[in-house]
Amino acid sequence: MTPTARSSSEEFRSGQTTLTGATVLVIGGAKNLGLAIARRASELGADVVIGARDLDTARRAAADIPGATGIRIDVTDEQTVEAAVAELGAVDHIVTTAAAHHNVPVAELDHQSVVTAFDAKVIGPLMLAKHFGPIIAPTGSMVLFSGVAAWHPQPGLSIMGITNGAVAFTVSHLAAELAPIRVNAVSPGIIDSGTWDGLPDADRSALFADTAQTNLAGRVGRPDDIVDAVAWLLTAGFVSGETIHVEGGARSV
Ligand SMILES: NC(=O)c1ccc[n+]([C@@H]2O[C@H](COP(=O)([O-])OP(=O)(O)OC[C@H]3O[C@@H](n4cnc5c(N)ncnc54)[C@H](OP(=O)(O)O)[C@@H]3O)[C@@H](O)[C@H]2O)c1
C-alpha cells in the first residue's frame, strides 16, 4: 500500500468526513444542481470555487457563498482548463455538471452537436483529469454526472443516453488511472433542479407526473437528493470508479 493510500484510509477511519479545509471546484456551479452542490460543500467547511463558462456568472454565484471564489472554465476548451489549473495550483475535489444535450431523432442528428454533447460530458472531464490530475490531492476525488436516460433507451434521446452511459465507463477507467484519487459519478433521475423551468408549465407538470408514476419513490427528485449523494461521495474514501444511481428506483420500473 502506498503512503498516500494509507493516509486516505486513516482519514476515513478517524471520522474526518467533513470537507473542512478542502478546496472543492464545482464546474457548472453557478446554477441548478451545481449551485446546490457548491452551497452544501461550503456548509460542510470547504473552500468553494465556482467554475462557469462566463467569469462574471461564476463570480456572481460565488458572492452568495461564504468565502467562495469564481473562475472561468469551459470543459470543452482545454486552454481554459489549463489556465484554471495554473490559477488554482491545488484542489481536493472537482465536481462537474456540464452538459450539452442534443435531443433529436437519429435521422436529424447534427454532427457538431453530437461532438459538443460528448465534449461536455466525456471529453471535457477527460481533459479535466489530464490537467487537474497532478494537482488533485491524493485523498481527493472527481465527481462526474451521468443520468438515468442512459439506462432507458428512448427515441429522440439517444445522444443524452449514450453520453450519460459513457460517463459510467469514464469514471471506472479514470479511477484506475488516477488512483488513489477517487473518481465517481452520480446518475440522477428526473430532478426538479431548475433545468426544466424553461418548459411550458403543462409540459413540466406532465414530465414530473410521469416521473412519479415510473419510479419506485413515486415522486420527482429534489436537488437535495443529488446533493446528499455528492456530499457522501466526496467523503467516501473507500468508493471509487462507481456510478451512484439517485433516481428513485427508475431503472426497476
Ligand atoms: N436535472 C435533471 O433532471 C437531470 C437528470 C439526469 C441527469 N442530469 C445531469 O445532471 C447534471 C446537472 O443537472 P442540472 O439540472 O443542474 O443541469 P443544467 O441546469 O443543464 O446545468 C448544467 C451546468 O453546466 C454548465 N455547463 C454547460 N456546458 C459547460 C461547459 N462546456 N463548461 C462548463 N460548464 C458548462 C452550465 O452552465 P451555462 O449556464 O454556462 O450553460 C450549467 O451551469 C447535468 O450533467 C445533467 O445532464 C440532470
Side-chain angles (χ1 to χ4, degrees), residues 12 30 53 57 61 66 80 106 129 166 180 188 194 196 210 212 223 225 235 239:
F12 183 73
R53 289 187 280 193
T57 302
T80 70
V106 166
W196 306 107
D210 180 64
D225 294 321
T235 57
V239 179

Short mmCIF file of all heavy atoms in Angstrom, two decimals, residues 12 30 53 57 61 66 80 106 129 166 180 188 194 196 210 212 223 225 235 239:
data_model
loop_
_atom_site.label_atom_id
_atom_site.label_comp_id
_atom_site.label_asym_id
_atom_site.label_seq_id
_atom_site.Cartn_x
_atom_site.Cartn_y
_atom_site.Cartn_z
N PHE A 12 -10.39 8.31 6.71
CA PHE A 12 -11.74 7.76 6.77
C PHE A 12 -12.01 7.16 8.15
O PHE A 12 -13.01 7.42 8.77
CB PHE A 12 -11.89 6.71 5.67
CG PHE A 12 -13.27 6.14 5.59
CD1 PHE A 12 -14.32 6.90 5.09
CD2 PHE A 12 -13.53 4.86 6.03
CE1 PHE A 12 -15.59 6.38 5.01
CE2 PHE A 12 -14.81 4.34 5.96
CZ PHE A 12 -15.84 5.11 5.45
N ALA A 30 -22.68 27.54 -11.07
CA ALA A 30 -23.37 28.84 -10.97
C ALA A 30 -24.88 28.70 -10.93
O ALA A 30 -25.58 29.68 -10.66
CB ALA A 30 -22.95 29.75 -12.12
N ARG A 53 -18.64 29.02 -17.52
CA ARG A 53 -18.08 29.46 -18.80
C ARG A 53 -17.91 30.96 -18.85
O ARG A 53 -17.08 31.46 -19.61
CB ARG A 53 -18.99 28.99 -19.94
CG ARG A 53 -18.93 27.51 -20.14
CD ARG A 53 -19.69 27.06 -21.34
NE ARG A 53 -21.12 26.97 -21.11
CZ ARG A 53 -21.96 26.39 -21.93
NH1 ARG A 53 -21.52 25.85 -23.05
NH2 ARG A 53 -23.25 26.31 -21.65
N THR A 57 -20.52 35.40 -14.31
CA THR A 57 -21.55 34.48 -13.78
C THR A 57 -20.97 33.69 -12.61
O THR A 57 -21.63 33.52 -11.57
CB THR A 57 -22.01 33.51 -14.90
OG1 THR A 57 -22.52 34.29 -15.97
CG2 THR A 57 -23.07 32.55 -14.40
N ALA A 61 -22.29 34.07 -8.64
CA ALA A 61 -22.76 32.92 -7.84
C ALA A 61 -21.90 32.76 -6.59
O ALA A 61 -22.41 32.50 -5.50
CB ALA A 61 -22.70 31.64 -8.69
N PRO A 66 -20.31 31.93 1.36
CA PRO A 66 -19.22 32.45 2.19
C PRO A 66 -17.84 31.94 1.74
O PRO A 66 -17.63 30.72 1.63
CB PRO A 66 -19.56 31.93 3.59
CG PRO A 66 -21.03 31.68 3.56
CD PRO A 66 -21.37 31.29 2.14
N THR A 80 -8.87 26.84 -21.26
CA THR A 80 -9.44 27.36 -20.00
C THR A 80 -9.18 26.39 -18.85
O THR A 80 -9.05 26.81 -17.71
CB THR A 80 -10.96 27.65 -20.13
OG1 THR A 80 -11.68 26.41 -20.23
CG2 THR A 80 -11.27 28.55 -21.31
N VAL A 106 -32.52 10.24 -34.41
CA VAL A 106 -31.25 9.93 -35.09
C VAL A 106 -31.23 10.50 -36.52
O VAL A 106 -30.19 10.99 -36.98
CB VAL A 106 -31.01 8.40 -35.09
CG1 VAL A 106 -29.92 8.01 -36.07
CG2 VAL A 106 -30.64 7.94 -33.68
N ALA A 129 -9.26 15.55 -16.06
CA ALA A 129 -8.39 14.56 -15.42
C ALA A 129 -6.94 14.75 -15.85
O ALA A 129 -6.02 14.67 -15.03
CB ALA A 129 -8.87 13.15 -15.77
N ALA A 166 -21.68 6.68 -21.32
CA ALA A 166 -20.22 6.75 -21.45
C ALA A 166 -19.58 7.29 -20.17
O ALA A 166 -18.44 6.93 -19.84
CB ALA A 166 -19.84 7.62 -22.64
N PRO A 180 -4.42 7.06 -6.22
CA PRO A 180 -5.51 6.91 -5.24
C PRO A 180 -6.59 7.99 -5.29
O PRO A 180 -7.53 7.94 -4.49
CB PRO A 180 -4.76 6.97 -3.91
CG PRO A 180 -3.63 7.91 -4.19
CD PRO A 180 -3.21 7.62 -5.61
N PRO A 188 -28.44 11.03 -11.93
CA PRO A 188 -29.76 11.45 -11.42
C PRO A 188 -30.88 10.89 -12.29
O PRO A 188 -30.73 10.67 -13.49
CB PRO A 188 -29.72 12.98 -11.58
CG PRO A 188 -28.30 13.35 -11.87
CD PRO A 188 -27.69 12.14 -12.53
N GLY A 194 -34.44 23.05 -11.60
CA GLY A 194 -34.45 24.36 -12.25
C GLY A 194 -34.23 24.23 -13.74
O GLY A 194 -34.62 25.09 -14.52
N TRP A 196 -35.64 22.35 -15.76
CA TRP A 196 -36.88 22.13 -16.51
C TRP A 196 -37.77 23.36 -16.48
O TRP A 196 -38.88 23.34 -17.04
CB TRP A 196 -37.64 20.92 -15.92
CG TRP A 196 -36.81 19.68 -15.85
CD1 TRP A 196 -36.29 19.10 -14.73
CD2 TRP A 196 -36.36 18.88 -16.95
NE1 TRP A 196 -35.55 17.99 -15.05
CE2 TRP A 196 -35.58 17.83 -16.41
CE3 TRP A 196 -36.55 18.94 -18.33
CZ2 TRP A 196 -34.98 16.86 -17.21
CZ3 TRP A 196 -35.96 17.97 -19.12
CH2 TRP A 196 -35.19 16.95 -18.56
N ASP A 210 -45.32 11.98 -14.88
CA ASP A 210 -44.88 10.72 -15.48
C ASP A 210 -43.70 10.14 -14.68
O ASP A 210 -43.64 8.93 -14.45
CB ASP A 210 -44.47 10.97 -16.94
CG ASP A 210 -44.01 9.69 -17.61
OD1 ASP A 210 -44.86 8.79 -17.74
OD2 ASP A 210 -42.82 9.59 -17.96
N ALA A 212 -43.10 10.53 -11.50
CA ALA A 212 -43.59 9.97 -10.23
C ALA A 212 -44.25 8.61 -10.45
O ALA A 212 -44.19 7.74 -9.57
CB ALA A 212 -44.58 10.96 -9.60
N PRO A 223 -33.35 18.59 -5.55
CA PRO A 223 -31.91 18.86 -5.58
C PRO A 223 -31.16 18.22 -4.41
O PRO A 223 -30.07 17.67 -4.59
CB PRO A 223 -31.84 20.39 -5.54
CG PRO A 223 -33.09 20.81 -6.26
CD PRO A 223 -34.14 19.81 -5.84
N ASP A 225 -31.66 15.47 -2.99
CA ASP A 225 -31.39 14.04 -3.22
C ASP A 225 -30.02 13.87 -3.87
O ASP A 225 -29.26 12.95 -3.54
CB ASP A 225 -32.46 13.44 -4.15
CG ASP A 225 -33.85 13.42 -3.52
OD1 ASP A 225 -33.95 13.15 -2.31
OD2 ASP A 225 -34.82 13.67 -4.26
N THR A 235 -16.68 12.32 0.45
CA THR A 235 -16.05 11.91 1.70
C THR A 235 -15.97 10.39 1.85
O THR A 235 -15.48 9.90 2.86
CB THR A 235 -16.83 12.49 2.90
OG1 THR A 235 -18.18 12.06 2.84
CG2 THR A 235 -16.77 14.01 2.91
N VAL A 239 -14.66 4.40 -1.87
CA VAL A 239 -15.55 4.26 -3.04
C VAL A 239 -14.89 4.92 -4.23
O VAL A 239 -14.62 6.14 -4.20
CB VAL A 239 -16.93 4.92 -2.77
CG1 VAL A 239 -17.82 4.78 -4.00
CG2 VAL A 239 -17.59 4.28 -1.56
#
